[in-house]
């Protein structure tokens, strides 16, 4: 007469705790700036509740409807709290509901699935943000314990008692430990392989200094460059661009009163005044915190026209504030830090509303006798290592005068004739990318960062104050909202700004018009990328987001039938 196997409650409890710990550690490896904890909870907790207390909700269709309602409510709460996710982040989150369900239910069929899904989440975190060794080692330990407990439970289920003490000895390397170590090796291999890939996709977040600040030439971090990093690709930088061309949506721009957003407007997110041959820095600032949700950057003159823009940033750019040229008011964001004289705006805590609006001045074209306003000495500084003789020879060859508007026109024409736009790092005999861009004897090529940096240096050599601005330009029409434009990471752009008395900073863009803020060089875009007229300094913005309501919700139906 055989006895029915009795449950090993200790092993069940150990498996449950170890499985939950391994799943939590995998989630903790995800970068919080791309996948905020609120969204992780919104996707994982409904599945966990259903897995743990599913018997309370009935069976079949009823349980599936309850699961859908819980998931929708959780996503709505996260959306209302911190705003929408980026498209890649939303796609990554689709794995979290079944992970939460399997880890919480902890049935024999669930344990391998939960461990596999946790490993997938761990790999996603590694791809997005690299290896975090303490978390990885903790995950290895928790996973090993979970697999050992599952093995013990499987033995009792099959044989009714634990394995005999005098049975055959287990090999030195248990199968579960071999699997975990294999997963560890695979994670490290993925990390190292990604470090060698040329695509700058990793490290993308709303802040260019996230996890790495300015990112010096020797840094392994790949910064966006839309915030506090402007690296021209000094030796060892690996050919980074302003932003990874992964299509992550950053912002959306709408006009008020039915106005359409033009395709040739600029949205600045940061500026750089302190020049360097390899890297520019922000330079002097005098920021102050704004009380309330209205920040004033300037004043409109009597009789002067203005224009309003409705701007929306996504969670990927939540600590940036995109503003058009000649912005005088930013309203709807709390906790801003501003420097009105330098038209600098930042969201230091990254917790302000995603949607805001700005008011800009509508100004006429610059007059030929307009004079710059050198209010800041940093706008004229040049790197001490600059070979001024070689640069001045170039200015003389191009016949660049000291009159601001005429100098800007000659420098723009000279750069576009002398250099070629290409989304590859400049190469040549010099120690830095900028001088290779200008002075290489063969193919002189570069992208907007190099055009803007070279133009700014040349202007300063002629005594004209200026700085580099970064942000987005061009964009693309929002398919579902006529007159609205969205901007992605592929529309990141750099240009020059010159301060003029009574007008503030004016846009000067030396990059060829057909290549400004496009997804790819015009040569690969075809006729659709015909050069636009030279833009008037005004205002734009980007963005679209992937709303969580559009994500697949298949897991409730799976849960209802298992």
């Amino acid at each position: 007469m055989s006895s029915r196997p009795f449950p090993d409650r200790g092993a069940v409890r150990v498996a449950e705790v170890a499985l939950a710990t391994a799943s939590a550690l995998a989630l903790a490896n995800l970068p919080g700036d791309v996948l905020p904890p609120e969204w992780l909870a919104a996707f994982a907790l409904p599945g966990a509740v259903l897995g743990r207390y599913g018997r309370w909700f009935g069976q079949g269709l009823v349980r599936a409807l309850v699961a859908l309602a819980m998931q929708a409510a959780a996503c709505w709460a996260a959306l209302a709290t911190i705003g929408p996710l980026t498209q890649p982040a939303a796609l990554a989150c689709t794995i979290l509901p079944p992970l939460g369900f399997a880890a919480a239910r902890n049935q024999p069929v669930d344990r391998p699935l939960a461990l596999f899904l946790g490993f997938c989440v761990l790999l996603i975190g590694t791809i997005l943000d690299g290896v975090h060794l303490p978390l990885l080692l903790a995950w290895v330990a928790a996973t090993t314990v979970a697999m050992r407990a599952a093995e013990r439970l499987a033995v009792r289920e099959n044989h009714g008692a634990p394995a005999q003490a005098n049975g055959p000895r287990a090999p030195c390397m248990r199968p579960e430990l071999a699997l975990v170590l294999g997963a560890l090796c695979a994670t490290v291999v993925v990390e190292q392989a990604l470090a060698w890939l040329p695509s700058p996709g990793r490290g993308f977040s709303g802040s260019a200094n996230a996890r790495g600040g300015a990112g010096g030439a020797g840094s392994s971090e790949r910064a966006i460059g839309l915030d506090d990093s402007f690296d021209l690709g000094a030796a060892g930088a690996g050919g980074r661009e302003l932003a990874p061309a992964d299509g992550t949506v950053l912002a959306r721009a709408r006009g008020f009163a039915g106005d359409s957003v033009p395709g040739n407007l600029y949205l600045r997110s940061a500026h750089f005044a302190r020049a360097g041959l390899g890297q520019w820095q922000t330079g002097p600032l005098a920021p102050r915190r704004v009380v309330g949700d209205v920040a004033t950057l300037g004043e409109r003159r009597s009789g002067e026209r203005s224009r309003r823009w409705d701007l929306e940033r996504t969670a990927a750019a939540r600590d940036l504030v995109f503003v058009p040229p000649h912005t005088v008011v930013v309203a709807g964001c709390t906790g801003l830090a501003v420097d009105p004289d330098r038209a600098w705006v930042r969201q230091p805590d990254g917790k302000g509303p995603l949607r805001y609006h700005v008011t800009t001045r509508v100004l006429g074209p610059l007059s030929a006798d307009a004079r710059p306003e050198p209010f800041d000495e940093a706008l004229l500084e040049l790197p001490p290592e600059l070979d001024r003789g070689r640069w001045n020879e170039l200015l003389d060859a191009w016949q660049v005068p000291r009159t601001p508007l005429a100098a800007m026109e000659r420098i723009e024409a000279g750069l576009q004739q002398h250099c070629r736009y290409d989304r590859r790092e400049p190469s040549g005999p010099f120690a830095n990318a900028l001088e290779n861009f200008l002075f290489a004897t063969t193919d002189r090529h570069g992208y907007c960062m190099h055009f803007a940096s070279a133009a700014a240096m040349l202007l300063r050599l002629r005594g004209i104050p200026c700085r580099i601005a970064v942000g987005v330009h061009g964009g693309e029409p929002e398919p579902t909202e006529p007159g609205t434009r969205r901007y992605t990471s592929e529309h990141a752009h750099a240009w020059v700004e010159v301060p003029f008395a009574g007008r503030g900073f004016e846009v000067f863009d030396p990059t060829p018009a057909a290549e400004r803020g496009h997804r790819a060089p015009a040569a690969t875009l075809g006729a659709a990328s015909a050069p636009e007229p030279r833009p008037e300094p005004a205002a734009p913005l980007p963005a679209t987001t992937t709303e969580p309501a559009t994500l697949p919700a298949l897991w409730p139906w799976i849960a209802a039938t298992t």
Side-chain angles (χ1 to χ4, degrees), residues 403-471:
T403 308
L405 255 61
M408 292 158 65
E409 292 174 357
R410 292 298 302 167
I411 289 173
E412 178 181 358
L415 285 173
Q416 295 185 16
Q417 294 173 10
H418 186 70
C419 304
R420 181 175 63 85
Y421 183 92
D422 196 322
R423 283 185 131 176
R424 291 184 298 118
E425 191 77 8
S427 57
F430 298 96
N432 59 79
L434 188 55
E435 291 191 322
N436 283 323
F437 172 70
L438 275 182
F439 302 115
T441 56
T442 55
D443 184 17
R444 293 179 294 272
H445 62 267
Y447 35 93
C448 61
M449 297 173 69
H450 306 101
F451 277 91
S453 300
M457 294 282 197
L458 292 168
L459 284 173
R460 290 185 179 190
L461 282 166
R462 280 295 189 251
I464 300 170
C466 62
R467 70 186 188 185
I468 290 177
V470 295

Side-chain angles (χ1 to χ4, degrees), residues 289-310:
R289 292 298 289 260
V290 176
V291 178
D293 64 351
V294 178
T296 301
L297 301 182
E299 295 182 358
R300 291 163 45 201
R301 296 187 176 183
S302 177
E304 193 173 70
R305 293 190 303 125
S306 64
R307 189 171 183 180
R308 296 181 67 197
W309 305 89
D310 182 12

Side-chain angles (χ1 to χ4, degrees), residues 81-82 313 318 332-336 347 349-355:
T81 303
I82 64 168
R313 53 194 170 174
R318 64 180 309 115
C333 288
T334 56
L336 291 180
Q347 186 83 58
D349 54 9
K351 296 181 180 178
L354 296 179
R355 192 163 179 172

Side-chain angles (χ1 to χ4, degrees), residues 467-484:
R467 70 186 188 185
I468 290 177
V470 295
V472 288
H473 171 71
E476 57 192 23
E478 173 60 69
T480 59
E481 296 185 47
T484 298

Side-chain angles (χ1 to χ4, degrees), residues 76 361 507 530:
W76 178 86
R361 302 165 66 193
V507 170

